[in-house]
Amino acid sequence: MKIDIGAAELRHDPEEGYVGNVRFRVEGHPEEYEITLFSKKGKEWEYGLHFAAESGSEERIDAIEAFLEEDDDAFDALIRAALDAENKV
């Protein structure tokens, strides 16, 4: 799957850790997705995946989630986009 990263942001609070959002599109999917990233220290990341605007099919979002679980490079690209957004502030 090919992803196209759009808007990204990341906030850091010394006590709460990192919280960020990255919007992205997947080739062949009409919906835009958003991933919310969480990390206490910026090393190990948890996430929540959802549709950015209008809902789409559950099968598509499940496929994206499986893809991100299996493809470390794609997941890391989303994290880098959020980290890059933080560094631009």
Side-chain angles (χ1 to χ4, degrees), residues 9-82:
E9 66 177 355
L10 184 69
R11 298 170 303 286
H12 178 250
D13 179 282
E15 292 186 24
E16 297 296 321
Y18 295 87
V19 177
N21 295 300
V22 180
R23 285 182 170 233
F24 65 98
R25 293 195 168 275
V26 176
E27 186 175 51
H29 290 222
E31 307 90 356
E32 184 178 32
Y33 299 94
E34 184 172 53
I35 190 167
T36 302
L37 300 162
F38 311 94
S39 178
K40 186 69 175 171
K41 297 182 181 181
K43 302 268 185 218
E44 295 180 21
W45 293 88
E46 297 179 34
Y47 71 92
L49 180 65
H50 49 276
F51 294 104
E54 296 181 25
S55 293
S57 77
E58 189 172 330
E59 291 82 16
R60 282 198 175 133
I61 203 161
D62 288 346
I64 301 304
E65 189 156 16
F67 169 69
L68 293 175
E69 289 287 331
E70 295 173 11
D71 192 318
D72 290 339
D73 290 337
F75 186 68
D76 289 346
L78 295 170
I79 293 169
R80 277 193 309 278

